[in-house]
Amino acid sequence: MQNHNLVKEVLISEEEINKKTKELAAEVSTFYQNNEQPVVLVGVLKGCFNFMCNFMTNLEIDCVLDFMYVESYAGKTESNFQPKIKVDILTDIKDRDILIVEDIIDSGVTLKKIVEHLNKKQPKSIKIVTLLDKKIKRKVDVEASWFGFEVPDAFLVGYGLDYQEMLRNIPYVAIADVDKIKELEKNKV
Ligand code: IMP
Ligand code: MG
């Protein structure tokens, strides 16, 4: 879907995303190139979906995939929610190198919870790659090893990011029209 009336402006185009994703995949491939075992990519659903697909097809190393489903936003436009792990990975990650793949880090609360959870399974290492990083919103001490773009404190949609589970299928990252969203929400009550 190219256009939507809840999009205020394009923040990062499809071309920019593709270029940056290739660069990230090249860096990550170099980092793990001498690994004996395939790296375990752990995608955080559902937002990781678009980025993970693009990223992994550009990786030049062996990898296996697994997913977690973590609910952190509950359809709200504010991240004032405690994350809940709804679906855990199935792979035995003891002594394995883990790369968590995220769409965006905002407060960092979700990732912190995920890292703590995965650490209990005694992996060899845990690293994080995220397409977007809202550094200005960080509330807890968690940093990505690799990030694509630092983004402003705005409500973003597209390329996996949702508003009430929709708009994930926009092929670019956009700033949502918060006035229109507020209007919509007012009319619902
Ligand atoms: P955090 O726990 O505050 O870091 O939020 C992490 C999760 O919230 C991300 O993985 C996204 O799924 C979601 N999120 C954060 N910022 C946005 C946004 O601007 N638009 C849509 N979803 C977002
Ligand atoms: Mg996410």
Side-chain angles (χ1 to χ4, degrees), residues 47-185:
C48 75
F49 188 78
N50 309 48
F51 174 55
M52 189 159 178
C53 182
N54 194 350
F55 174 75
M56 61 167 264
T57 49
N58 282 291
L59 280 180
E60 301 288 344
I61 48 163
D62 285 329
C63 62
V64 297
L65 304 187
D66 210 331
F67 295 94
M68 290 176 74
Y69 179 22
V70 185
E71 198 181 55
S72 50
Y73 248 46
K76 298 202 175 75
T77 45
E78 287 269 326
S79 193
N80 56 0
F81 209 78
Q82 270 308 304
K84 290 189 192 77
I85 296 172
K86 296 275 186 176
V87 177
D88 197 359
I89 53 168
L90 298 173
T91 313
D92 178 4
I93 59 165
K94 191 165 187 305
D95 301 325
R96 301 288 296 270
D97 289 303
I98 308 304
L99 180 60
I100 300 172
V101 184
E102 262 286 24
D103 50 349
I104 186 165
I105 312 178
D106 189 297
S107 67
V109 172
T110 308
L111 256 187
K112 193 161 196 239
K113 170 120 188 173
I114 290 168
V115 170
E116 282 167 3
H117 174 80
L118 292 178
N119 257 327
K120 290 188 196 137
K121 299 174 191 270
Q122 297 175 285
K124 187 169 156 205
S125 70
I126 298 184
K127 298 223 167 267
I128 298 160
V129 60
T130 184
L131 178 66
L132 309 171
D133 197 339
K134 258 189 211 174
K135 287 184 189 288
I136 196 169
K137 290 283 292 290
R138 203 71 95 251
K139 282 193 201 141
V140 294
D141 181 24
V142 53
E143 285 307 326
S145 309
W146 299 276
F147 70 93
F149 301 93
E150 186 170 342
V151 291
D153 178 14
F155 185 57
L156 307 177
V157 291
Y159 208 73
L161 298 168
D162 71 305
Y163 162 64
Q164 297 205 340
E165 293 299 330
M166 295 175 296
L167 310 184
R168 296 191 197 272
N169 57 328
I170 293 174
Y172 49 85
V173 176
I175 297 182
D177 194 327
V178 179
D179 292 335
K180 277 194 195 152
I181 286 178
K182 278 190 190 141
E183 201 58 34
L184 267 181
E185 287 179 358

